[in-house]
Amino acid sequence: MVEREIAHRIFAKELNDSSSTIHSTIDEAINSEGHTPNYLLTPVGTMVNRVFIVGVITEVDNVGTDTDTWKARVVDPSGAFTIYAGQYQLQAAIFLSSVETPAFVSVVGKVRVYKPDPGSPIISLRPEEIHLADEGMRNCWVIDTAELTLDRVDTFSKMLSLCENDPNSCSCMENMVIPSNLSEGICLAIDNYGTDADYLNELRSVVKKCIVSIDLASSADGDKDLDVVVMELLEELDEGKGVEYMNLLSVANSRNINEKAVDSAVRSLLSKGQCYEPKIGIIKPIS
């Protein structure tokens, strides 16, 4: 009996940054009794065939012509996954035809890569299972996925640091205690993407923002002083010239923070001198 591929927990950012595919060899096909999985290689060396994601389904459209084919958009704090379900994903197609958006969902699915010529690869998922979820499940998934992603990034970073003076990084890595599948993926990522410290730092930053977004959402229930939450959000959004008030409300709303609560917190911060209005409609934190 052939074992199913691992369903990786992976953020949309890492999946959508990917473009290289790895195909099974003839020997692997023979040894696996005809089961020949293909993989999407991510820039940090994850070889992905199946994924497990939890997010918010925000859009559903029937894009089929002769038969129903449903296209859906599922977002996590880092970006969005694209999902297609048709006659070969009947359970998922039935689910998508009736689900009311927005809603939390969990999805186990196969990764598919379409490479138009010319054009960038289009990454999508074909769901094997899709179910309604809740905010608590989504938050747990974000934390688990963040930990797994940072572990992979840290391993990659360690390899780059220790092997920076070695012209053959993969040979250098043979002396490091790294699982063979991960070391193989890292070598392939360097060859196919040229992954460097800048990209790893970018991905770290995205992952940390994913974690912060969960903290902000949970704090709206009173686990954290709302003035502190809004001040942190202002500092996150401020690029030096202040934050448009409507943009602040929009971002806060996307993180499940009540608009009236944000308005009250802004008034409180203004009164305490922790932020000011350089002009009407612009809020600038004082750091």
Side-chain angles (χ1 to χ4, degrees), residues 200-214:
L200 298 179
N201 288 333
E202 177 189 348
L203 189 55
R204 277 196 192 96
S205 177
V206 169
V207 171
K208 289 176 181 177
K209 287 181 179 178
C210 290
I211 297 171
V212 168
S213 74
I214 298 304

Side-chain angles (χ1 to χ4, degrees), residues 16-237:
N16 292 330
D17 282 350
S18 308
S19 58
S20 294
T21 52
I22 302 171
H23 301 283
S24 301
T25 65
I26 294 176
D27 288 342
E28 288 171 335
I30 293 173
N31 294 333
S32 63
E33 302 174 3
H35 176 71
T36 55
N38 296 319
Y39 302 93
L40 177 68
L41 175 72
T42 78
V44 293
T46 315
M47 293 187 283
V48 182
N49 176 263
R50 299 169 71 240
V51 299
F52 168 58
I53 65 169
V54 183
V56 178
I57 187 167
T58 59
E59 300 173 24
V60 180
D61 295 297
N62 188 347
V63 296
T65 50
D66 297 331
T67 59
D68 288 343
T69 300
W70 297 91
K71 177 183 179 182
R73 175 183 171 90
V74 176
V75 301
D76 71 9
S78 77
F81 300 92
T82 301
I83 294 176
Y84 286 96
Q87 58 181 324
Y88 299 111
Q89 300 83 30
L90 188 57
Q91 179 263 339
I94 293 172
F95 178 92
L96 294 177
S97 70
S98 59
V99 68
E100 294 186 9
T101 60
F104 290 104
V105 295
S106 65
V107 182
V108 175
K110 286 282 190 76
V111 177
R112 291 289 182 266
V113 183
Y114 171 63
K115 295 184 177 181
D117 189 20
S120 301
I122 298 172
I123 312 298
S124 64
L125 305 180
R126 298 296 187 273
E128 298 171 348
E129 297 182 25
I130 182 168
H131 304 283
L132 288 173
D134 56 32
E135 185 178 6
M137 184 175 180
R138 190 280 308 272
N139 291 353
C140 288
W141 177 86
V142 169
I143 297 301
D144 289 345
T145 305
E147 291 177 351
L148 292 168
T149 303
L150 291 176
D151 284 346
R152 295 196 300 271
V153 169
D154 288 344
T155 299
F156 205 127
S157 181
K158 178 182 177 183
M159 190 282 296
L160 288 180
S161 177
L162 294 177
C163 300
E164 62 180 346
N165 296 319
D166 193 318
N168 190 337
S169 297
C170 291
S171 295
C172 170
M173 200 158 33
E174 291 175 1
N175 300 319
M176 300 171 61
V177 183
I178 298 176
S180 59
N181 63 326
L182 187 54
S183 61
E184 179 186 0
I186 291 175
C187 288
L188 290 170
I190 292 173
D191 290 340
N192 286 274
Y193 298 105
T195 303
D196 58 13
D198 288 342
Y199 179 79
L200 298 179
N201 288 333
E202 177 189 348
L203 189 55
R204 277 196 192 96
S205 177
V206 169
V207 171
K208 289 176 181 177
K209 287 181 179 178
C210 290
I211 297 171
V212 168
S213 74
I214 298 304
D215 290 341
L216 287 172
S218 63
S219 65
D221 295 326
D223 294 337
K224 190 176 183 181
D225 184 85
L226 194 57
D227 286 8
V228 176
V229 172
V230 173
M231 187 65 181
E232 289 176 347
L233 188 55
L234 282 168
E235 291 173 343
E236 177 188 339
L237 297 175

